[in-house]
Amino acid sequence: MAVPNKGRLHDRTVDLLMKSGLDLGEDWGRKLYVTAKNQDIEIVFVRAQDIPEFINSGAVDLGITGQDQIANSGCKLEEVLELGFGHCRLSVAVPESSKIKTVDDIKDGCRIATSFPKITKRFFDAKGKKVNIIEVSGAAEIMPYMGVSDIIVDLVSSGSTLKMNRLVEIETLVQSQAVVVTSKKALSKSKSGIMDMVNSIRSVIEAESKKYLMADVPTKKLDEIVKLFPGLAGPTVMNISGRDDMVAIHVVIEKNDVYEAVNTLQKLGAKGILTLPIDRLVQ
Ligand code: AMP
């Protein structure tokens, strides 16, 4: 499995793998590859932009990278899980003072600085425009200021870097987030191993948006409370020994609903309300 060795996707990717149950050992941070201590899986730490090619060539079976990198590579790969982080878009941006307001205004010979030369070329080829692509490995935003290019194709998330460099977006080539990606070939060879990994990561992501809530509630309010918590399969209701005026409920709820749920339960006479994090959730 290939994992970004640095950059924006690195920290959260490693966090997800560890929470999914992979034991990378103690000094994984200084290594280029590690063999998980508890599973038959080897992790290689490489650049996010190289991962699509490595999967395509069969050097690795799966990886985590941005959809922008997959799109740029042009490789036909299988995106098996969206990870909900690393959101950004690859956009055409022009200086605020430029006469170019839409892609149609871009003339043949226009100089475009980008770290995404392949997808940029395909995009402008498809529009029949003969542009001059200048490949840079970063800091594309300052290229118009330096006179290196007229416009850029670059990643945008909040848009503040563009603003700081007096650039405006005129069109988006691709929307992106981090994904687990594999290939048809790898799936045909080791589908169950790959899907075990994917399902583990999915269960961590699902669990992170939820909380486990426990409370002792008045028996006479139980019907009302059950309706409030449709939960995954409704609350689990348990007797409390020696009490017939109270029962215990356990339920999985959305993190965002915790505030209201606790207040409502309190108003209905609940006692001993606890909320706990969930490590993994397999539905
Ligand atoms: P990096 O390794 O830091 O150059 O970035 C790797 C990936 O992070 C990119 O290919 C995108 O998928 C993702 N990313 C998310 N937001 C941004 C952003 N604002 N700028 C650059 N990369 C981003």
Side-chain angles (χ1 to χ4, degrees), residues 5-257:
N5 60 350
K6 52 184 178 180
R8 291 174 189 255
L9 303 182
H10 171 80
D11 289 357
R12 175 66 175 143
T13 299
V14 171
D15 174 55
L16 270 181
L17 294 183
M18 287 180 164
K19 286 180 174 164
S20 305
L22 276 196
D23 181 356
L24 302 183
E26 298 215 326
D27 55 351
W28 61 268
R30 286 183 285 123
K31 293 182 176 166
L32 297 179
Y33 69 91
V34 289
T35 305
K37 297 219 170 317
N38 54 345
Q39 273 164 47
D40 184 18
I41 179 163
E42 193 163 72
I43 310 285
V44 291
F45 295 101
V46 291
R47 297 290 302 270
Q49 69 207 58
D50 294 331
I51 291 176
E53 276 298 345
F54 291 164
I55 296 170
N56 196 46
S57 69
V60 294
D61 294 317
L62 75 162
I64 292 181
T65 190
Q67 290 170 314
D68 54 323
Q69 301 293 358
I70 300 167
N72 185 53
S73 75
C75 300
K76 273 196 90 55
L77 300 176
E78 304 293 311
E79 294 176 22
V80 279
L81 183 64
E82 292 187 341
L83 296 171
F85 69 97
H87 287 281
C88 58
R89 54 192 182 272
L90 187 65
S91 292
V92 183
V94 305
E96 281 167 4
S97 56
S98 170
K99 291 205 174 67
I100 300 169
K101 302 293 171 213
T102 71
V103 168
D104 290 340
D105 301 334
I106 295 172
K107 302 250 178 333
D108 284 356
C110 179
R111 296 167 307 155
I112 307 178
T114 186
S115 316
F116 295 81
K118 291 189 198 162
I119 190 172
T120 300
K121 180 170 183 339
R122 287 198 303 273
F123 177 79
F124 285 100
D125 280 354
K127 298 204 176 282
K129 298 207 180 265
K130 293 189 176 52
V131 294
N132 182 4
I133 295 170
I134 299 156
E135 186 173 354
V136 292
S137 54
E141 302 93 335
I142 65 161
M143 297 305 153
Y145 175 74
M146 289 171 62
V148 172
S149 74
D150 302 306
I151 66 174
I152 65 167
V153 168
D154 202 12
L155 292 175
V156 186
S157 38
S158 70
S160 59
T161 313
L162 285 188
K163 216 168 184 176
M164 244 159 49
N165 290 286
R166 299 183 160 273
L167 297 164
V168 281
E169 254 176 294
I170 58 164
E171 189 154 331
T172 295
L173 279 67
V174 61
Q175 293 280 350
S176 178
Q177 64 173 293
V179 288
V180 179
V181 57
T182 179
S183 66
K184 279 215 163 73
K185 200 167 137 203
L187 281 170
S188 69
K189 188 182 70 176
S190 42
K191 183 162 187 180
S192 94
I194 291 171
M195 291 321 287
D196 283 354
M197 189 73 229
V198 169
N199 290 332
S200 292
I201 296 172
R202 183 186 286 120
S203 73
V204 171
I205 294 171
E206 292 213 1
E208 282 178 342
S209 66
K210 308 239 176 356
K211 288 276 181 192
Y212 196 72
L213 182 145
M214 301 190 274
D216 298 342
V217 303
T219 314
K220 57 181 190 305
K221 293 282 168 63
L222 186 59
D223 287 350
E224 199 175 330
I225 288 169
V226 167
K227 280 192 208 117
L228 286 175
F229 296 107
L232 290 179
T236 306
V237 181
M238 284 159 287
N239 290 326
I240 303 172
S241 83
R243 304 272 312 247
D244 48 15
D245 59 330
M246 299 284 272
V247 287
I249 62 158
H250 289 196
V251 66
V252 174
I253 63 170
E254 291 295 328
K255 229 180 193 169
N256 291 341
D257 295 340

